[in-house]
Amino acid sequence: LIDSLKEYRPVVFIEEVFIVRAQANMKNYVTRYGTLLGAVYAHITDVELYEVPPTQWQEHYTSLTTTDLHSSRRLPRAEAAAIKKQRRAEIKQSSRSTAACLYPQFSKDLQKTTADGLSDAILLCLYGAHFISGRIS
């Protein structure tokens, strides 16, 4: 697939990760991220790479707007953490639903609760396409 893109100037949009809590997660992230970039750079030297914070691409989709976190800053730590966890679950569900509405051919795959990575990738890719085409800045 990557070899077939040599005649084009590929653009890669990847989610920028701010904090990875567990060391195992960090190893997994670095392995996946490194594999992707290594594969792209090994075959194509002229690649535009955009690292997009999750909040930036998620704000592009109104369906991913959820509970305001600013109000939870004054709450006790455990309560604020519970609100944050609930918000993440809402975003994941909304991400799967939004991607399934936009791309019905993937709706069966996106029904699984473990498909939030796939839905995020679909929506981030679409965000990137809109960004490149000038629909958003």
Side-chain angles (χ1 to χ4, degrees), residues 61-78:
Y61 303 96
T62 56
S63 61
L64 301 186
T65 306
T66 60
T67 313
D68 181 24
L69 283 182
H70 297 293
S71 60
S72 67
R73 288 186 179 160
R74 295 185 199 101
L75 296 174
R77 180 176 276 170

Side-chain angles (χ1 to χ4, degrees), residues 72 75-85:
S72 67
L75 296 174
R77 180 176 276 170
E79 199 173 329
I83 290 171
K84 186 175 181 179
K85 185 177 180 179

Side-chain angles (χ1 to χ4, degrees), residues 2 5-6 10-12 34-49:
I2 293 172
L5 299 174
K6 282 186 177 181
V11 178
V12 174
T35 302
L36 167 70
L37 294 181
V40 170
Y41 283 116
H43 293 284
I44 305 168
T45 57
D46 192 21
V47 176
E48 272 187 84
L49 175 66

